[in-house]
Amino acid sequence: MFGVLKSYLSWLITSLLALGLILSNENMQVNTMRDNFSDLLVIVARPVSNLIRAPRLWGENARLRKQLAELSIKVADISDSAVETERLRHMLDFRERSAYELVATEVIGMNPDFGIRGILVDAGSEDGVEINQAVITPDGVVGRVYRAGKRSSAVQLLLDPNSGVAARLGRSREVGIVHAAGGRRLRLDGVPVTAAVGTGDSVITSGLGGVFPPGLLIGVTRSVNHRAVDWLWQIELQPAVDFGHLSELFVVRKAERAE
Amino acid sequence: MISVTCPNSSWYERLNVLSDIVKASTWGLLILLAQVVLAPVLEIRGIRPDLLLIFAVSMAMRRGSHAGLAAGFLTGLAQDALSTGFIGVMALAKGTVAFWIGRWHEKHEGAISPFGWFILLFIAALIQDFLASLFLLQGSPVGIVEYLWFNILPSGLYTGVMGFLWALAPIGRRRSERSTPVRIR
């Protein structure tokens, strides 16, 4: 009898401990410990991750070498045009725009939770990565930095149910918010039925949320349905990024554009 | 005349328990690493099995509810530490599920078939993910039904299938055929 009671008591104490941790999510010590644990795991996980990726990288390396040879020929042609363009730009007094400063990083692992919600990358505060910086690939937006340790960071993907990105329809310029829609689907909420929307329209970041620079591709509209309840479009998106094959990413360290 | 001095039996027991804890911790760490790094390899259309849940349930079945609770809580905590969600959520969910499975097995001892493992892990994954989503979906525009349909159910099925394969594997078979659990109390 006492054994059974002891057993239930240990479950109760453990559950209370877990609840205590849930309530202390904003605690700095708890977050520092989380960051340190991520950093530690990255040290062990990086070689294993590299080993798994090696065969794919060899193939990619061969393909890129071939591409590099082809591109170097093209570059020679383009450099002539660039000189000409630069001369014309000066003549027209175009203002110089600063590019985004990007930090290259690699995916070390997925968040071990159920469903896809985040990834671990091998760049941290030592590389200039900070919380709430945008994470992108050449294809489009991946997510934002949720936690930044010294040498690793946790990235919240657009597929996270708690993620929300201020977005704009490329054609009609109507703004809305992109949310996860379960699985690998995204949806654009808050677009009134008065806006012109069609399938295949691009959806880009609006820059209104302050996290993502404007103009980054999020996806294209896949299906558009009329929601009679609140006079809003129900828009499903095809993400621009293939979330199943994320490997090399960029963290947008600075997204200022000189005015 | 040769005299043999037998060491204290309780000392042996403690050493055995310590050795079991070290073994279980090593397995737990290896499975955590596999869950993090092998996830892209195991993933099917964005759905991954919960290898850590299989480990926690396996511990509960083999070593009893206390060991299940400890394994579930600690692996869940490690999951939380690496995730972008609240810390403590998976520790609570995984620990609770492993504990109650351990309690159930203590009452209904006996071998479990590979199909039994599938059912057990499917149900365990559903309960765990449902419990976790009660916290994780707070304030989220994604509804619980939507999340259940697109994430929890497929993930539970995948975990169940992996549990089935685990029970068929020689090391897993040894575990599932063990009728009397060795418990850490």
Side-chain angles (χ1 to χ4, degrees):
Chain A
M1 181 65 187
F2 180 70
V4 174
L5 275 178
K6 204 174 91 176
S7 175
Y8 289 133
L9 194 67
S10 56
W11 169 67
L12 193 68
I13 290 168
T14 315
S15 301
L16 287 174
L17 186 65
L19 281 169
L21 282 168
I22 293 169
L23 294 173
S24 63
N25 263 269
E26 297 302 314
N27 187 298
M28 207 163 71
Q29 280 87 0
V30 171
N31 282 323
T32 309
M33 278 172 72
R34 283 179 94 168
D35 293 341
N36 290 342
F37 186 68
S38 298
D39 287 348
L40 200 70
L41 193 93
V42 162
I43 294 169
V44 187
R46 198 197 309 250
V48 184
S49 173
N50 288 344
L51 207 69
I52 292 166
R53 272 197 311 218
R56 188 177 59 79
L57 291 176
W58 289 331
E60 201 170 272
N61 189 270
R63 187 177 57 78
L64 289 173
R65 274 174 193 278
K66 188 171 169 270
Q67 210 172 32
L68 184 70
E70 288 166 0
L71 286 173
S72 57
I73 299 165
K74 282 185 186 167
V75 165
D77 291 341
I78 291 167
S79 57
D80 284 345
S81 315
V83 171
E84 181 66 10
T85 309
E86 192 62 27
R87 192 179 62 79
L88 291 169
R89 182 178 285 170
H90 277 296
M91 281 168 68
L92 292 166
D93 196 24
F94 270 16
R95 285 174 296 184
E96 195 181 315
R97 286 161 181 265
S98 71
Y100 303 136
E101 198 179 320
L102 304 175
V103 177
T105 181
E106 283 186 11
V107 178
I108 288 300
M110 297 280 186
N111 268 358
D113 279 8
F114 69 96
I116 302 176
R117 301 189 302 117
I119 48 173
L120 290 170
V121 295
D122 67 351
S125 55
E126 282 181 354
D127 308 288
V129 175
E130 288 171 18
I131 292 171
N132 274 337
Q133 285 175 334
V135 180
I136 60 171
T137 70
D139 297 328
V141 180
V142 173
R144 70 176 179 108
V145 177
Y146 181 81
R147 281 187 296 110
K150 277 185 185 166
R151 287 175 292 275
S152 68
S153 303
V155 176
Q156 182 187 42
L157 299 180
L158 295 184
L159 302 179
D160 187 293
N162 291 303
S163 155
V165 181
R168 189 187 292 280
L169 277 158
R171 192 158 57 97
S172 67
R173 313 299 292 166
E174 196 71 46
V175 291
I177 297 175
V178 171
H179 287 125
R184 277 194 194 156
R185 302 170 316 132
L186 294 175
R187 67 164 182 249
L188 178 63
D189 293 330
V191 178
V193 288
T194 49
V197 193
T199 52
D201 285 0
S202 61
V203 176
I204 54 173
T205 51
S206 68
L208 295 175
V211 173
F212 296 93
L216 299 174
L217 185 66
I218 297 172
V220 291
T221 55
R222 187 160 62 183
S223 70
V224 182
N225 296 304
H226 180 216
R227 208 161 62 182
V229 187
D230 46 12
W231 295 91
L232 295 171
W233 288 119
Q234 192 170 9
I235 304 169
E236 197 176 306
L237 305 183
Q238 172 68 47
V241 171
D242 180 2
F243 287 98
H245 296 93
L246 294 174
S247 55
E248 287 84 25
L249 310 175
F250 297 99
V251 180
V252 182
R253 196 155 69 173
K254 192 177 71 179
E256 319 177 325
R257 286 175 180 228
E259 291 300 319
Chain B
M1 180 158 178
I2 303 163
S3 72
V4 179
T5 322
C6 290
N8 194 331
S9 63
S10 71
W11 186 83
Y12 263 132
E13 274 174 25
R14 277 178 198 170
L15 200 68
N16 276 339
V17 169
L18 194 70
S19 144
D20 282 348
I21 289 171
V22 170
K23 259 191 268 180
S25 307
T26 312
W27 270 108
L29 278 171
L30 286 175
I31 293 169
L32 176 70
L33 199 67
Q35 180 80 44
V36 172
V37 179
L38 296 180
V41 183
L42 296 172
E43 194 182 292
I44 301 173
R45 298 183 69 83
I47 301 300
R48 280 169 286 150
D50 192 338
L51 302 180
L52 291 166
L53 181 68
I54 299 175
F55 170 71
V57 168
S58 183
M59 284 293 289
M61 298 288 282
R62 195 181 178 205
R63 303 280 183 186
S65 55
H66 270 140
L69 178 65
F73 180 80
L74 291 173
T75 52
L77 198 62
Q79 262 183 298
D80 287 326
L82 297 170
S83 78
T84 52
F86 292 118
I87 194 159
V89 170
M90 290 307 278
L92 176 68
K94 210 169 238 92
T96 299
V97 167
F99 172 79
W100 286 104
I101 284 177
R103 288 293 308 151
W104 170 80
H105 191 53
E106 281 159 12
K107 282 184 187 167
H108 309 89
E109 286 175 1
I112 292 182
S113 68
F115 185 68
W117 272 90
F118 168 77
I119 297 290
L120 189 73
L121 279 159
F122 176 60
I123 293 169
L126 285 191
I127 296 170
Q128 174 203 256
D129 293 350
F130 180 76
L131 276 175
S133 60
L134 291 178
F135 291 92
L136 298 172
L137 295 181
Q138 287 296 319
S140 164
V142 180
I144 185 85
V145 178
E146 204 171 10
Y147 210 62
L148 185 81
W149 186 248
F150 287 105
N151 290 71
I152 296 177
L153 267 175
S155 167
L157 273 172
Y158 199 175
T159 305
V161 169
M162 290 300 280
F164 176 80
L165 295 174
W166 160 248
L168 285 179
I171 187 169
R173 204 160 52 221
R174 277 210 304 277
R175 267 161 208 218
S176 57
E177 279 168 3
R178 211 181 277 265
S179 56
T180 313
V182 185
R183 289 175 208 139
I184 299 168
R185 291 204 184 266

